[in-house]
Amino acid sequence: MSSSNRSFIAFLTGVLTGVAVGIIYAPDKGEATRDKLTFRLAKYRDELQKLIADLLDGKDYPGNSARSQGEKVVNEAREKAEKLLEDVDRLMEQIKSQTAEQA
């Protein structure tokens, strides 16, 4: 994976973490904050699912070496997106369980 792809994944992970921490520590009621976080995470999950679908559809890359390199990049990006999607789902479940415990 190229360093620009790694940098983008690291940036995206940092943004998602920052958003989650910022929302959790926001001066709003806990239930409202969790609802907002759940909504935003669901939106990110949908965007990641769309990205995965787009990557799976693939594009025709010119040339054999370019095509194999492109497929490699697409597969790596798909794997990273799926991992992020799993992380988002796990975080949403944690938020829902906290909401249920406090109710």
Side-chain angles (χ1 to χ4, degrees), residues 5-17:
N5 286 343
R6 285 187 212 146
S7 297
F8 177 72
I9 296 295
F11 173 75
L12 184 60
T13 303
V15 168
L16 291 174
T17 303

Side-chain angles (χ1 to χ4, degrees), residues 36-100:
K36 288 178 188 177
L37 184 58
T38 301
F39 173 78
R40 288 184 181 163
L41 287 173
K43 186 173 85 171
Y44 291 133
R45 183 186 67 213
D46 294 342
E47 289 177 16
L48 284 171
Q49 286 174 331
K50 183 179 181 284
L51 174 65
I52 290 170
D54 290 346
L55 291 173
L56 290 176
D57 288 343
K59 296 180 181 170
D60 194 18
Y61 298 99
N64 289 339
S65 65
R67 182 179 186 135
S68 65
Q69 182 64 24
E71 288 173 353
K72 180 181 175 185
V73 169
V74 167
N75 287 334
E76 289 174 356
R78 179 181 48 82
E79 290 171 5
K80 295 288 185 180
E82 287 174 347
K83 173 139 179 34
L84 284 172
L85 183 59
E86 291 170 4
D87 291 344
V88 167
D89 286 337
R90 188 172 41 253
L91 185 56
M92 288 177 64
E93 286 300 318
Q94 289 175 353
I95 291 169
K96 287 178 184 177
S97 68
Q98 283 181 346
T99 301

